[in-house]
Amino acid sequence: QVQLVESGGGLALPGGSLRLSCTASGRYLPNYTTGWYRQAPGKQRELVARIFSDNKTNYVDSVKGRFTISRDSSKNTVFLQMNSLKVEDTAVYYCNVATGVNYWGRGTLVTVSS
């Protein structure tokens, strides 16, 4: 009943930028907490950023000042603007919506490499 589709991943150079998008069907995203998570090779999945129904946001310390989560309510889409990318940002990035039940996208791969 909830489908999340991520896009925008790819290859970036260290110091470069990417913008990830998560478009939802089945729920109006601004009514829920929406987040981006990532899972790096050999690592557990971690929370990267969240945006709440009141538009407050939070971020894992490692991306503060570099990543920005936002949304376009008219498009039912949440974005993750990723600037000053580092090699350690390499991961599969997943969109999550917390409706009481957690819903996940299939992920989009971000590779930061020189």
Side-chain angles (χ1 to χ4, degrees), residues 1-6 21-32 34 72-78 95-99 101-106:
Q1 64 182 25
V2 178
Q3 294 189 33
L4 305 172
V5 179
E6 302 103 332
S21 298
C22 172
T23 299
S25 60
R27 291 291 190 277
Y28 184 55
L29 290 183
N31 288 338
Y32 303 96
T34 305
D72 183 337
S73 296
S74 68
K75 294 180 169 58
N76 213 28
T77 297
V78 173
C95 183
N96 166 265
V97 176
T99 69
V101 174
N102 281 309
Y103 293 93
W104 298 90
R106 293 186 178 274

Side-chain angles (χ1 to χ4, degrees), residues 15-90:
S17 297
L18 289 171
R19 185 176 176 87
L20 307 183
S21 298
C22 172
T23 299
S25 60
R27 291 291 190 277
Y28 184 55
L29 290 183
N31 288 338
Y32 303 96
T33 300
T34 305
W36 287 96
Y37 292 70
R38 67 186 179 188
Q39 188 163 19
K43 304 292 185 181
Q44 292 187 316
R45 187 179 299 185
E46 68 171 349
L47 174 67
V48 178
R50 288 185 294 190
I51 184 166
F52 301 92
S53 59
D54 63 359
N55 278 331
K56 297 294 178 61
T57 60
N58 62 22
Y59 302 88
V60 67
D61 286 345
S62 61
V63 310
K64 287 180 179 177
R66 300 190 297 119
F67 291 9
T68 303
I69 189 169
S70 62
R71 63 181 163 219
D72 183 337
S73 296
S74 68
K75 294 180 169 58
N76 213 28
T77 297
V78 173
F79 304 98
L80 185 67
Q81 179 66 46
M82 308 166 65
N83 297 327
S84 301
L85 283 163
K86 302 176 179 180
V87 172
E88 52 263 43
D89 295 320
T90 296

